[in-house]
Amino acid sequence: MKSIVILISGRGSNLAAILDAKLPANISTVISNNPSAGGLAVAQHQGIPTLAIDHNTFPGREQFDQALIAAIDLHSPDLIVLAGFMRILSDKFVNHYRGRLINIHPSLLPAFAGLNTHERALNAGVKIHGCSVHFVTSTLDGGPIIVQAAVPVLPDDDEKTLAARVLVQEHNIYADAIRWFLEDKLSVVNNRVHVRGVDSGAGTLLNPLAS
Ligand code: GRF
């Protein structure tokens, strides 16, 4: 059975959704850079070992990333899943795990890479927003996209309502992407991820709807 290490920084709702999906994998450990992350308790409730490595106790990014690599490699994971992990990772870290490091981002990449995605989507006036699961490369939020889910932006939305609508879809697509990885269904050709044996949605999503 393949093994996964999950990195978090916060409440851990994506982590919870991944655990609920009962994937055919061993979740070896959950590591947080934030010792008070709510997600640590989520993992502990399910008997998964946890570790906090507080980035504030390191002189710089390189040293923190080195400690993180050491902690992860103890488990020799097949896949490292960033689930709301809010630290930029050094090139050294990203290259060490190239091809087996994935992230979820709350926008339809490449739109709105970086922070405050929902606020920026509202300010840009987009009608469709969403989330993306992607392989991590050294370009911030820029690696090959595995799966995306789109949601409408409604006229009365604020950041909170839009974030909540997107989050429901984050919880849907992350477990799917991990399952495909575990089943060796993913391949990357010219920056495009192909998912073997999974149909693409062929419908057109319009918002507002044409009459
Ligand atoms: C999610 O929206 C994720 O996409 C973003 O941070 C949030 C983390 O939420 N990077 P949670 O900790 O998984 O609940």
Side-chain angles (χ1 to χ4, degrees):
M1 190 180 275
K2 290 194 167 113
S3 69
I4 302 176
V5 168
I6 302 181
L7 305 188
I8 61 164
S9 299
R11 71 193 152 179
S13 72
N14 276 291
L15 167 67
I18 293 165
L19 298 181
D20 284 351
K22 305 277 178 237
L23 295 164
N26 175 36
I27 314 284
S28 313
T29 188
V30 171
I31 303 175
S32 174
N33 65 305
N34 167 15
S36 50
L40 290 170
V42 171
Q44 286 156 7
H45 274 128
Q46 302 219 18
I48 295 167
T50 60
L51 178 67
I53 307 178
D54 185 349
H55 62 275
N56 291 309
T57 62
F58 292 84
R61 193 178 301 285
E62 295 291 332
Q63 292 88 344
F64 169 71
D65 282 8
Q66 195 50 55
L68 199 51
I69 288 173
I72 293 169
D73 285 354
L74 280 179
H75 301 276
S76 306
D78 297 285
L79 177 67
I80 297 91
V81 170
L82 306 179
F85 185 70
M86 303 304 282
R87 294 278 306 165
I88 291 177
L89 293 161
S90 60
D91 285 358
K92 186 176 173 196
F93 184 99
V94 169
N95 291 331
H96 187 73
Y97 296 113
R98 186 170 284 272
R100 55 188 177 119
L101 177 62
I102 63 175
N103 181 46
I104 189 149
H105 183 75
S107 78
L108 291 173
L109 289 170
F112 313 124
L115 296 173
N116 305 319
T117 55
H118 309 303
E119 181 190 359
R120 288 159 63 206
L122 288 169
N123 289 341
V126 297
K127 298 291 189 194
I128 294 174
H129 186 44
C131 49
S132 310
V133 178
H134 64 96
F135 283 108
V136 176
T137 64
S138 47
T139 307
L140 180 69
D141 300 323
I145 295 166
I146 300 167
V147 56
Q148 295 184 304
V151 301
V153 179
L154 302 183
D156 293 335
D157 268 337
D158 57 24
E159 254 178 78
K160 235 176 134 179
T161 57
L162 185 55
R165 192 173 308 116
V166 171
L167 192 64
V168 171
Q169 297 310 320
E170 292 185 41
H171 297 164
N172 277 334
I173 64 173
Y174 215 176
D176 285 342
I178 295 169
R179 187 177 293 104
W180 296 332
F181 182 95
L182 295 170
E183 293 171 346
D184 293 319
K185 285 189 171 155
L186 303 179
S187 56
V188 185
V189 181
N190 295 332
N191 202 45
R192 295 175 71 178
V193 178
H194 297 264
V195 187
R196 188 167 42 83
V198 176
D199 287 339
S200 289
T204 303
L205 182 58
L206 292 181
N207 178 39
L209 291 174
S211 56

Coordinates of all heavy atoms in Angstrom, one line a residue, residues 27-98:
I27 N -1.8 6.8 5.7 CA -1.4 8.2 6.0 C -0.4 8.1 7.1 O -0.7 7.9 8.3 CB -2.6 9.1 6.4 CG1 -3.8 8.9 5.5 CG2 -2.2 10.5 6.6 CD1 -3.8 9.5 4.2
S28 N 0.9 8.3 6.8 CA 2.0 8.0 7.8 C 2.0 9.0 8.9 O 2.2 8.7 10.0 CB 3.3 8.0 7.1 OG 3.3 7.3 5.9
T29 N 1.8 10.3 8.5 CA 1.9 11.3 9.5 C 1.3 12.6 8.9 O 1.2 12.8 7.7 CB 3.3 11.6 10.0 OG1 3.3 12.5 11.1 CG2 4.2 12.2 8.9
V30 N 0.9 13.5 9.8 CA 0.4 14.8 9.4 C 1.3 15.8 10.1 O 1.5 15.7 11.3 CB -1.1 15.1 9.9 CG1 -1.5 16.5 9.7 CG2 -2.0 14.1 9.1
I31 N 1.9 16.7 9.3 CA 2.9 17.7 9.9 C 2.4 19.1 9.7 O 1.9 19.4 8.6 CB 4.3 17.5 9.2 CG1 4.8 16.1 9.3 CG2 5.3 18.5 9.8 CD1 6.1 15.8 8.5
S32 N 2.5 19.9 10.7 CA 2.0 21.3 10.7 C 3.2 22.2 11.0 O 4.0 21.9 11.9 CB 0.9 21.6 11.6 OG 0.6 22.9 11.6
N33 N 3.3 23.3 10.3 CA 4.3 24.3 10.7 C 3.8 25.2 11.8 O 4.5 26.0 12.3 CB 4.7 25.2 9.4 CG 3.5 26.0 9.0 OD1 2.4 25.4 8.7 ND2 3.6 27.3 8.9
N34 N 2.5 25.0 12.0 CA 1.8 25.9 13.0 C 1.4 24.9 14.2 O 0.4 24.2 14.0 CB 0.6 26.5 12.4 CG -0.3 27.2 13.4 OD1 0.0 27.4 14.5 ND2 -1.5 27.5 12.9
P35 N 2.0 25.0 15.4 CA 1.7 24.1 16.4 C 0.3 24.2 16.9 O -0.2 23.2 17.5 CB 2.7 24.6 17.6 CG 3.7 25.4 16.9 CD 3.1 26.0 15.7
S36 N -0.4 25.3 16.7 CA -1.8 25.4 17.1 C -2.8 25.1 16.0 O -4.0 25.5 16.1 CB -2.1 26.7 17.8 OG -1.6 27.8 17.0
A37 N -2.4 24.5 14.9 CA -3.3 24.2 13.8 C -4.4 23.2 14.3 O -4.1 22.2 14.9 CB -2.5 23.6 12.7
G38 N -5.6 23.6 14.0 CA -6.8 22.7 14.4 C -6.7 21.4 13.7 O -7.2 20.4 14.3
G39 N -6.1 21.3 12.6 CA -6.0 20.1 11.8 C -5.2 19.0 12.5 O -5.4 17.8 12.3
L40 N -4.3 19.4 13.4 CA -3.6 18.4 14.2 C -4.5 17.5 15.0 O -4.4 16.3 15.1 CB -2.5 19.0 15.1 CG -1.4 19.7 14.3 CD1 -0.5 20.5 15.3 CD2 -0.5 18.6 13.7
A41 N -5.5 18.1 15.6 CA -6.5 17.3 16.4 C -7.3 16.5 15.5 O -7.7 15.3 15.9 CB -7.4 18.3 17.2
V42 N -7.7 17.0 14.3 CA -8.4 16.2 13.3 C -7.7 14.8 13.1 O -8.3 13.8 13.1 CB -8.6 16.9 12.0 CG1 -9.2 16.1 10.9 CG2 -9.4 18.2 12.2
A43 N -6.4 14.9 12.9 CA -5.6 13.7 12.6 C -5.5 12.8 13.8 O -5.7 11.6 13.7 CB -4.2 14.1 12.1
Q44 N -5.3 13.5 15.0 CA -5.1 12.7 16.2 C -6.4 11.9 16.5 O -6.3 10.7 17.0 CB -4.7 13.6 17.4 CG -3.3 14.1 17.3 CD -3.0 15.4 18.0 OE1 -3.9 15.9 18.7 NE2 -1.9 16.0 17.8
H45 N -7.5 12.5 16.3 CA -8.8 11.8 16.5 C -8.9 10.5 15.7 O -9.6 9.6 16.1 CB -10.0 12.7 16.2 CG -10.4 13.6 17.3 ND1 -10.5 14.9 17.1 CD2 -10.6 13.3 18.6 CE1 -10.8 15.5 18.3 NE2 -10.9 14.5 19.2
Q46 N -8.2 10.5 14.6 CA -8.3 9.3 13.8 C -7.0 8.4 14.0 O -6.8 7.5 13.2 CB -8.4 9.7 12.3 CG -9.6 10.5 12.1 CD -10.3 10.2 10.8 OE1 -10.1 9.1 10.2 NE2 -11.2 11.1 10.3
G47 N -6.3 8.7 15.0 CA -5.1 7.9 15.4 C -3.9 8.0 14.5 O -3.0 7.2 14.4
I48 N -3.9 9.1 13.7 CA -2.8 9.4 12.8 C -1.7 10.2 13.6 O -2.0 11.2 14.2 CB -3.2 10.1 11.6 CG1 -4.2 9.2 10.8 CG2 -2.1 10.6 10.7 CD1 -5.0 10.0 9.7
P49 N -0.4 9.7 13.5 CA 0.6 10.4 14.2 C 0.8 11.9 13.7 O 0.6 12.1 12.4 CB 1.9 9.6 13.9 CG 1.4 8.3 13.4 CD 0.0 8.5 12.8
T50 N 1.0 12.8 14.5 CA 1.2 14.2 14.1 C 2.5 14.7 14.6 O 3.1 14.2 15.5 CB 0.1 15.1 14.6 OG1 0.1 15.1 16.1 CG2 -1.3 14.7 14.1
L51 N 2.9 15.8 13.9 CA 4.2 16.5 14.3 C 4.0 18.0 14.0 O 3.5 18.3 12.9 CB 5.3 15.9 13.5 CG 6.7 16.5 13.7 CD1 7.2 16.2 15.1 CD2 7.7 15.9 12.7
A52 N 4.4 18.8 14.9 CA 4.5 20.2 14.7 C 5.9 20.7 14.6 O 6.8 20.3 15.4 CB 3.8 21.0 15.8
I53 N 6.3 21.3 13.5 CA 7.6 21.9 13.3 C 7.4 23.4 13.1 O 7.0 23.8 12.0 CB 8.4 21.3 12.1 CG1 8.4 19.7 12.2 CG2 9.8 21.8 12.0 CD1 9.1 19.1 11.0
D54 N 7.6 24.1 14.1 CA 7.3 25.6 14.1 C 8.4 26.3 13.3 O 9.5 26.4 13.7 CB 7.2 26.1 15.5 CG 6.8 27.5 15.6 OD1 6.7 28.2 14.5 OD2 6.5 28.0 16.7
H55 N 7.9 26.9 12.1 CA 8.9 27.6 11.3 C 9.6 28.7 12.0 O 10.7 29.2 11.6 CB 8.3 28.0 10.0 CG 7.2 29.0 10.1 ND1 5.9 28.6 10.4 CD2 7.2 30.3 10.1 CE1 5.1 29.7 10.5 NE2 5.9 30.8 10.3
N56 N 8.9 29.3 13.0 CA 9.4 30.5 13.7 C 10.7 30.1 14.5 O 11.4 31.0 14.9 CB 8.4 31.0 14.7 CG 7.2 31.7 13.9 OD1 7.5 32.5 13.0 ND2 6.0 31.2 14.3
T57 N 10.9 28.9 14.7 CA 12.1 28.5 15.6 C 13.3 28.2 14.7 O 14.3 27.8 15.2 CB 11.8 27.2 16.4 OG1 11.5 26.1 15.5 CG2 10.6 27.4 17.3
F58 N 13.2 28.5 13.4 CA 14.4 28.3 12.5 C 14.9 29.7 12.0 O 14.1 30.6 11.8 CB 13.9 27.5 11.3 CG 13.7 26.0 11.7 CD1 12.4 25.7 12.2 CD2 14.6 25.1 11.6 CE1 12.1 24.4 12.6 CE2 14.4 23.8 12.0 CZ 13.1 23.4 12.5
P59 N 16.2 29.8 11.8 CA 16.7 31.1 11.3 C 16.2 31.5 9.9 O 16.2 32.7 9.6 CB 18.2 30.9 11.3 CG 18.5 29.4 11.5 CD 17.2 28.8 12.0
G60 N 15.9 30.5 9.1 CA 15.4 30.9 7.7 C 14.7 29.8 7.0 O 14.5 28.7 7.6
R61 N 14.2 30.1 5.8 CA 13.4 29.1 5.1 C 14.2 27.8 4.8 O 13.7 26.7 4.9 CB 13.0 29.7 3.7 CG 11.9 29.0 3.0 CD 11.5 29.7 1.7 NE 10.9 31.0 2.0 CZ 9.7 31.3 2.5 NH1 8.9 30.3 2.8 NH2 9.3 32.5 2.6
E62 N 15.5 27.9 4.4 CA 16.3 26.8 4.0 C 16.3 25.8 5.2 O 16.2 24.6 5.0 CB 17.7 27.2 3.6 CG 17.7 28.0 2.3 CD 17.3 27.2 1.1 OE1 17.6 26.0 1.1 OE2 16.8 27.8 0.1
Q63 N 16.6 26.3 6.4 CA 16.8 25.5 7.6 C 15.4 24.8 7.9 O 15.4 23.6 8.3 CB 17.3 26.3 8.8 CG 18.7 26.8 8.6 CD 18.8 28.2 7.9 OE1 17.8 28.6 7.3 NE2 19.9 28.8 8.0
F64 N 14.4 25.6 7.8 CA 13.0 25.0 8.1 C 12.7 23.9 7.1 O 12.3 22.7 7.5 CB 11.9 26.0 8.1 CG 10.6 25.5 8.1 CD1 10.0 24.9 9.3 CD2 9.8 25.5 7.0 CE1 8.8 24.3 9.3 CE2 8.5 25.0 7.0 CZ 8.0 24.4 8.1
D65 N 13.0 24.1 5.9 CA 12.7 23.1 4.8 C 13.5 21.9 5.0 O 13.1 20.8 4.8 CB 12.9 23.7 3.4 CG 11.7 24.6 3.0 OD1 10.8 24.9 3.9 OD2 11.7 25.0 1.8
Q66 N 14.8 22.1 5.5 CA 15.6 20.9 5.7 C 15.1 20.0 6.8 O 15.1 18.8 6.7 CB 17.1 21.4 6.0 CG 18.1 20.4 5.9 CD 18.1 19.6 4.6 OE1 18.2 20.2 3.5 NE2 18.0 18.3 4.7
A67 N 14.6 20.7 7.9 CA 14.0 19.9 9.0 C 12.7 19.2 8.5 O 12.5 18.1 8.9 CB 13.7 20.9 10.1
L68 N 12.0 19.9 7.7 CA 10.7 19.3 7.1 C 11.1 18.1 6.3 O 10.4 17.0 6.4 CB 10.0 20.4 6.3 CG 8.5 20.2 6.0 CD1 7.7 19.9 7.3 CD2 8.0 21.5 5.3
I69 N 12.1 18.2 5.4 CA 12.5 17.1 4.5 C 12.9 15.9 5.4 O 12.5 14.8 5.2 CB 13.7 17.5 3.6 CG1 13.2 18.5 2.5 CG2 14.3 16.3 3.0 CD1 14.3 19.1 1.7
A70 N 13.7 16.2 6.5 CA 14.2 15.1 7.3 C 13.0 14.4 8.0 O 12.9 13.1 8.0 CB 15.1 15.7 8.4
A71 N 12.0 15.2 8.4 CA 10.8 14.6 9.1 C 10.0 13.8 8.1 O 9.5 12.7 8.5 CB 10.0 15.7 9.8
I72 N 9.8 14.3 6.9 CA 9.0 13.6 5.9 C 9.7 12.3 5.5 O 9.1 11.2 5.4 CB 8.8 14.5 4.7 CG1 7.9 15.7 5.1 CG2 8.2 13.7 3.5 CD1 7.8 16.8 4.0
D73 N 11.0 12.4 5.2 CA 11.7 11.2 4.6 C 11.9 10.1 5.6 O 12.1 8.9 5.2 CB 13.1 11.7 4.1 CG 13.0 12.5 2.8 OD1 11.9 12.5 2.3 OD2 14.0 13.0 2.3
L74 N 11.7 10.3 6.9 CA 11.6 9.2 7.8 C 10.5 8.2 7.4 O 10.6 7.0 7.7 CB 11.2 9.7 9.2 CG 12.3 10.4 10.1 CD1 11.7 10.8 11.4 CD2 13.4 9.3 10.3
H75 N 9.5 8.7 6.7 CA 8.4 7.8 6.3 C 8.5 7.3 4.9 O 7.6 6.6 4.5 CB 7.1 8.6 6.5 CG 6.9 9.1 7.9 ND1 6.3 8.3 8.9 CD2 7.2 10.3 8.5 CE1 6.3 9.0 10.1 NE2 6.9 10.2 9.9
S76 N 9.4 7.8 4.2 CA 9.6 7.4 2.7 C 8.2 7.4 2.0 O 7.8 6.4 1.4 CB 10.2 6.0 2.6 OG 11.4 5.9 3.3
P77 N 7.5 8.5 2.0 CA 6.2 8.5 1.4 C 6.2 8.5 -0.1 O 7.2 9.0 -0.7 CB 5.6 9.9 1.9 CG 6.8 10.7 2.1 CD 7.9 9.8 2.6
D78 N 5.2 7.9 -0.7 CA 5.0 8.0 -2.1 C 4.5 9.3 -2.6 O 4.7 9.7 -3.7 CB 4.0 6.9 -2.6 CG 4.5 5.5 -2.2 OD1 5.4 5.0 -3.0 OD2 4.1 4.9 -1.2
L79 N 3.8 10.0 -1.7 CA 3.1 11.2 -2.1 C 3.1 12.2 -0.9 O 2.9 11.7 0.3 CB 1.6 10.9 -2.5 CG 0.8 12.1 -2.8 CD1 1.2 12.8 -4.1 CD2 -0.7 11.7 -3.0
I80 N 3.4 13.5 -1.2 CA 3.3 14.5 -0.1 C 2.1 15.4 -0.5 O 2.1 16.0 -1.7 CB 4.6 15.3 0.0 CG1 5.7 14.3 0.5 CG2 4.5 16.4 1.1 CD1 6.5 13.7 -0.6
V81 N 1.2 15.6 0.4 CA -0.1 16.3 0.1 C 0.0 17.6 0.9 O 0.0 17.6 2.1 CB -1.3 15.5 0.4 CG1 -2.6 16.3 0.4 CG2 -1.4 14.3 -0.5
L82 N -0.1 18.8 0.2 CA -0.2 20.1 0.9 C -1.7 20.4 1.0 O -2.4 20.6 0.0 CB 0.5 21.2 0.1 CG 2.0 20.9 -0.3 CD1 2.5 22.1 -1.1 CD2 2.8 20.6 1.0
A83 N -2.2 20.4 2.2 CA -3.6 20.6 2.5 C -3.8 21.9 3.3 O -3.9 21.8 4.5 CB -4.2 19.4 3.1
G84 N -3.8 23.0 2.7 CA -3.8 24.3 3.4 C -2.5 24.5 4.1 O -2.4 25.1 5.2
F85 N -1.4 24.2 3.5 CA 0.0 24.4 4.0 C 0.4 25.8 3.5 O 0.6 26.0 2.3 CB 0.9 23.3 3.6 CG 2.3 23.5 4.2 CD1 2.5 23.2 5.5 CD2 3.4 23.9 3.4 CE1 3.7 23.3 6.1 CE2 4.7 24.0 4.0 CZ 4.8 23.7 5.4
M86 N 0.5 26.7 4.4 CA 0.6 28.2 4.1 C 2.0 28.7 4.1 O 2.3 29.8 4.5 CB -0.3 29.0 4.9 CG -1.8 28.6 4.9 SD -2.5 28.5 3.2 CE -2.7 30.3 2.9
R87 N 3.0 27.9 3.7 CA 4.4 28.3 3.6 C 4.9 28.1 2.2 O 4.6 27.1 1.6 CB 5.3 27.5 4.5 CG 5.0 27.6 6.0 CD 5.7 28.8 6.6 NE 7.1 28.8 6.4 CZ 7.9 29.9 6.6 NH1 7.3 31.0 7.0 NH2 9.2 29.9 6.3
I88 N 5.6 29.1 1.7 CA 6.3 28.9 0.4 C 7.4 28.0 0.7 O 8.2 28.1 1.6 CB 6.7 30.3 -0.1 CG1 5.5 31.1 -0.5 CG2 7.7 30.1 -1.3 CD1 5.8 32.5 -1.0
L89 N 7.6 27.0 -0.2 CA 8.6 26.0 -0.1 C 9.8 26.4 -1.0 O 9.6 26.8 -2.1 CB 8.1 24.6 -0.4 CG 7.0 24.2 0.6 CD1 6.1 23.1 0.0 CD2 7.7 23.7 1.9
S90 N 11.0 26.1 -0.5 CA 12.2 26.4 -1.3 C 12.3 25.5 -2.5 O 11.7 24.4 -2.5 CB 13.5 26.2 -0.4 OG 13.5 24.9 0.1
D91 N 13.1 25.9 -3.5 CA 13.3 25.1 -4.7 C 13.9 23.7 -4.3 O 13.6 22.7 -4.9 CB 14.3 25.8 -5.6 CG 13.7 26.9 -6.3 OD1 12.4 27.1 -6.1 OD2 14.3 27.6 -7.1
K92 N 14.8 23.8 -3.3 CA 15.4 22.5 -2.8 C 14.3 21.5 -2.4 O 14.3 20.3 -2.8 CB 16.4 22.8 -1.7 CG 17.1 21.6 -1.3 CD 18.1 21.9 -0.2 CE 18.7 20.6 0.3 NZ 19.4 20.6 1.5
F93 N 13.4 22.0 -1.6 CA 12.3 21.1 -1.1 C 11.4 20.6 -2.3 O 11.2 19.4 -2.5 CB 11.4 21.9 -0.2 CG 10.3 21.1 0.5 CD1 10.4 20.6 1.7 CD2 9.1 20.8 -0.2 CE1 9.4 19.8 2.3 CE2 8.1 20.0 0.3 CZ 8.3 19.5 1.6
V94 N 11.1 21.5 -3.2 CA 10.2 21.2 -4.3 C 10.9 20.2 -5.2 O 10.3 19.2 -5.7 CB 9.8 22.5 -5.1 CG1 9.1 22.2 -6.4 CG2 8.9 23.3 -4.2
N95 N 12.2 20.4 -5.5 CA 12.9 19.5 -6.4 C 13.1 18.1 -5.8 O 13.1 17.1 -6.5 CB 14.2 20.1 -6.8 CG 14.0 21.3 -7.7 OD1 13.0 21.4 -8.4 ND2 14.9 22.3 -7.6
H96 N 13.2 18.1 -4.5 CA 13.4 16.8 -3.7 C 12.2 15.9 -3.9 O 12.3 14.7 -4.0 CB 13.6 17.1 -2.3 CG 14.0 16.0 -1.4 ND1 15.2 15.4 -1.5 CD2 13.3 15.2 -0.5 CE1 15.3 14.3 -0.7 NE2 14.1 14.2 0.0
Y97 N 11.0 16.6 -4.0 CA 9.8 15.8 -4.1 C 9.1 15.9 -5.5 O 7.9 15.6 -5.6 CB 8.8 16.2 -3.0 CG 9.3 15.9 -1.6 CD1 9.7 17.0 -0.8 CD2 9.6 14.6 -1.2 CE1 10.2 16.7 0.5 CE2 10.1 14.4 0.1 CZ 10.4 15.4 0.9 OH 10.9 15.1 2.2
R98 N 9.8 16.3 -6.5 CA 9.2 16.6 -7.8 C 8.4 15.4 -8.3 O 8.9 14.2 -8.2 CB 10.3 16.9 -8.8 CG 9.7 17.3 -10.1 CD 10.9 17.9 -11.0 NE 11.2 19.3 -10.6 CZ 10.6 20.4 -11.0 NH1 9.7 20.3 -11.9 NH2 11.0 21.5 -10.6

